[in-house]
């Protein structure tokens, strides 16, 4: 078992030794869990991470959610305009939960776009 994970579980057991059902976690333990989640979320799903930590999925999701007063979107600034791709047709770029999707390009124009974005 990973060292950070082992430390988290031991500290959680110490804090909750008299609470087998409704466990509570200190802000320090919650922060450790969030850091562990940040390190492993690219490799594992939230269910696997929660199981490793010994907490429920709902608890882990609540801890990793931004605070209520914090906006979900962050302002961005474009500092250098992207190079244009010459097209005579309309191009639609959709940003979805599954990732970006580009419609309206031929294979050659899509390849050129990818080369420009590198």
């Amino acid at each position: 078992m990973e060292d950070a994970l082992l430390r988290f579980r031991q500290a959680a057991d110490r804090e909750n030794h008299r609470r087998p059902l409704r466990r509570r976690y200190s802000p320090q333990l919650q922060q450790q869990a969030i850091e562990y989640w940040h390190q492993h979320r690219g490799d594992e799903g939230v269910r696997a991470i929660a199981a490793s930590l010994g907490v429920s999925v709902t608890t882990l999701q609540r801890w990793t959610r931004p605070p209520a007063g914090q906006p979900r979107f962050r302002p961005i600034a474009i500092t250098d305009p992207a190079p244009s791709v010459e097209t005579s047709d309309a191009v639609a770029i959709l940003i979805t939960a599954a990732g970006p999707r580009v419609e309206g390009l031929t294979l050659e124009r899509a390849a050129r776009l990818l080369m420009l974005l590198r």
Side-chain angles (χ1 to χ4, degrees), residues 11-88:
D13 287 342
R14 277 193 307 274
E15 284 186 7
N16 290 289
H17 71 282
R18 298 200 190 275
R19 284 193 186 134
L21 296 178
R22 290 193 51 98
R23 296 171 64 100
R24 294 189 182 177
Y25 301 90
S26 66
Q28 294 83 11
L29 278 180
Q30 291 178 22
Q31 187 59 40
Q32 285 179 13
I34 292 168
E35 289 170 9
Y36 183 83
W37 173 75
H38 276 292
Q39 292 171 356
H40 293 86
R41 68 181 173 174
D43 304 329
E44 303 176 42
V46 68
R47 289 180 191 268
I49 294 171
S52 296
L53 291 167
V55 300
S56 72
V57 174
T58 306
T59 298
L60 184 59
Q61 287 174 333
R62 189 177 66 243
W63 290 347
T64 57
R65 193 178 316 142
Q70 186 176 356
R72 293 186 63 181
F73 297 102
R74 290 172 280 186
I76 62 167
I78 299 174
T79 57
D80 188 20
S84 64
V85 176
E86 298 96 28
T87 61
S88 58

